[in-house]
C-alpha cells in the first residue's frame, strides 16, 4: 500500500481531533465518563501516531488538550487528558526501559497527583474538594488503585491493538 501524502495525514488528524473534542464534551453525560472520555481520546491519538508519526501526534495532542480545556464542560476530564493524553506518544520509548512497569506507574501516579493538586490548589475546584472529603482517604486510595489498573489495561490495549 502506498504511503498517503502529508495532506491526508493532516486531514485525518483534523477529523480525529474534532471527534476527540466532541468525546471530551460528552464527559458530563455519565459520571464515570470523566475517566473514560480521556482514554478514548488517547486511543484516537494512537491512531494519529501510528499513521502520521510523533510530530503530528504532538501537534494533535496540543490542539485537543487546548480545545478540550476551553470547550469541555467537565474540566476534570479535560485535565486528565491534558496531564496524561500524551502517553501514546511516549509509550514506545517507555517500553524499551528496564522495569518499564515501574516507570509507567510513576508517570501515571505523578501526573494524577500533580493534576489534582493543580485543580484543588491553583484552580480551587470546591466541588472536587467536597467530593474527596465525602469519599474519605480509604476510598480515595482505592480509586487511585483502580486508576492504576485501568491505566495498565489501556497500556495493554495500546500494545495489542495499535502495536505502539
Amino acid at each position: 500500500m502506498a504511503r498517503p501524502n502529508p495532506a491526508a495525514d493532516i486531514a485525518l488528524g483534523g477529523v480525529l481531533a474534532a471527534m476527540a473534542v466532541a468525546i471530551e464534551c460528552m464527559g458530563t453525560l455519565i459520571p464515570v465518563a470523566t475517566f473514560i472520555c480521556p482514554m478514548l481520546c488517547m486511543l484516537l491519538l494512537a491512531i494519529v501516531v501510528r499513521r502520521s508519526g510523533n510530530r503530528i501526534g504532538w501537534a494533535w495532542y496540543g490542539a485537543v488538550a487546548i480545545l478540550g480545556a476551553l470547550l469541555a464542560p467537565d474540566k476534570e476530564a479535560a485535565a486528565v487528558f491534558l496531564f496524561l493524553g500524551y502517553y501514546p506518544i511516549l509509550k514506545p520509548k517507555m517500553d524499551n526501559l528496564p522495569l518499564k512497569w515501574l516507570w509507567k506507574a510513576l508517570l501515571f501516579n505523578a501526573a494524577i497527583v500533580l493534576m489534582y493538586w493543580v485543580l484543588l490548589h491553583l484552580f480551587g475546584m470546591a466541588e472536587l474538594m467536597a467530593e474527596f472529603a465525602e469519599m474519605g482517604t480509604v476510598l480515595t486510595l482505592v480509586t487511585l488503585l483502580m486508576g492504576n489498573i485501568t491505566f495498565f489495561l489501556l497500556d495493554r490495549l495500546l500494545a495489542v491493538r495499535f502495536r505502539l
Side-chain angles (χ1 to χ4, degrees):
M1 186 171 132
R3 173 111 169 99
N5 62 20
D9 289 343
I10 292 171
L12 176 68
V15 169
L16 292 178
M19 186 184 294
V21 172
I23 288 170
E24 279 194 41
C25 287
M26 290 189 284
T28 56
L29 296 177
I30 306 168
V32 75
T34 298
F35 306 105
I36 293 172
C37 289
M39 285 193 285
L40 291 174
C41 294
M42 285 186 238
L43 293 175
L44 293 175
L45 175 56
I47 295 169
V48 171
V49 169
R50 175 104 166 117
R51 178 161 170 116
S52 305
N54 286 347
R55 207 171 115 215
I56 298 288
W58 280 112
W60 188 94
Y61 160 74
V64 172
I66 290 169
L67 288 171
L70 292 173
L71 300 175
D74 187 352
K75 298 307 180 194
E76 188 177 2
V80 170
F81 184 76
L82 179 67
F83 280 82
L84 281 172
Y86 54 84
Y87 179 71
I89 301 171
L90 294 183
K91 180 184 173 16
K93 291 176 180 65
M94 294 187 84
D95 283 340
N96 294 329
L97 295 173
L99 297 174
K100 63 184 176 184
W101 59 271
L102 176 64
W103 293 109
K104 290 175 182 183
L106 284 173
L107 172 74
F108 174 78
N109 287 296
I112 289 297
V113 168
L114 179 63
M115 178 194 80
Y116 279 110
W117 185 87
V118 167
L119 289 177
L120 292 172
H121 297 301
L122 294 182
F123 292 112
M125 293 182 73
E127 63 273 1
L128 275 179
M129 194 80 75
E131 185 179 328
F132 286 142
E134 183 180 313
M135 284 180 12
T137 305
V138 173
L139 194 54
T140 301
L141 291 175
V142 168
T143 304
L144 182 61
L145 176 65
M146 291 177 61
N148 277 276
I149 292 168
T150 305
F151 177 74
F152 280 104
L153 289 174
L154 173 69
D155 179 69
R156 186 72 185 138
L157 178 64
L158 289 170
V160 171
R161 180 71 181 120
F162 299 102
R163 292 188 187 114
L164 289 178

